[in-house]
Amino acid sequence: KPGATLILTCPNTPEHQDGYQTQYRAHVYEWKRSELLAGLKQAGFKVITEYGLLIDSKTLKSEGERLGLLPLIERLEKFVPNEWLIPVLAPMFPKASKEIAFVAKAV
């Protein structure tokens, strides 16, 4: 239905990785980001935004350094437990996250 909103959360399988090498044993295949985007488009959805949901500390720091945010992340780590910090910062890094959320609208 045009205008409907879809929120899709899933593993973010690296492009170079075989989709059958899953992060989760319960999964048979985990789509790559490019496959998900193509599938959503084919199904009649336009991705409005995407968010990271789960990122490891090493990747978070690497991405933070790339954007000039490493000093801020390191300072926050002194005061905020990783169990809180990572879920708060992961949305900023969807392409680097192990889990991703897409918000899409039906067109």
Side-chain angles (χ1 to χ4, degrees):
K1 183 175 183 179
T5 301
L6 170 73
I7 300 173
L8 173 68
T9 65
C10 55
N12 188 15
T13 305
E15 292 295 325
H16 65 275
Q17 182 176 313
D18 183 347
Y20 291 104
Q21 295 174 332
T22 62
Q23 292 183 60
Y24 303 106
R25 290 176 29 190
H27 294 175
V28 174
Y29 184 86
E30 293 173 351
W31 292 27
K32 297 170 183 65
R33 183 176 173 278
S34 61
E35 293 173 315
L36 285 164
L37 291 172
L40 287 168
K41 184 177 180 179
Q42 183 179 3
F45 286 92
K46 178 181 178 187
V47 173
I48 304 303
T49 192
E50 52 190 273
Y51 300 99
L53 298 177
L54 178 64
I55 194 167
D56 61 70
S57 183
K58 182 179 176 182
T59 305
L60 175 64
K61 288 180 181 180
S62 172
E63 290 296 302
E65 184 173 29
R66 185 177 62 79
L67 296 175
L69 298 173
L70 185 57
L72 173 62
I73 292 169
E74 289 175 336
R75 180 132 172 95
L76 285 169
E77 282 182 320
K78 293 179 181 179
F79 302 100
V80 181
N82 267 350
E83 296 80 12
W84 293 356
L85 184 64
I86 287 176
V88 168
L89 297 180
M92 296 178 1
F93 307 103
K95 292 178 183 169
S97 292
K98 292 180 183 226
E99 296 274 336
I100 194 166
F102 293 99
V103 179
K105 289 272 189 192
V107 290

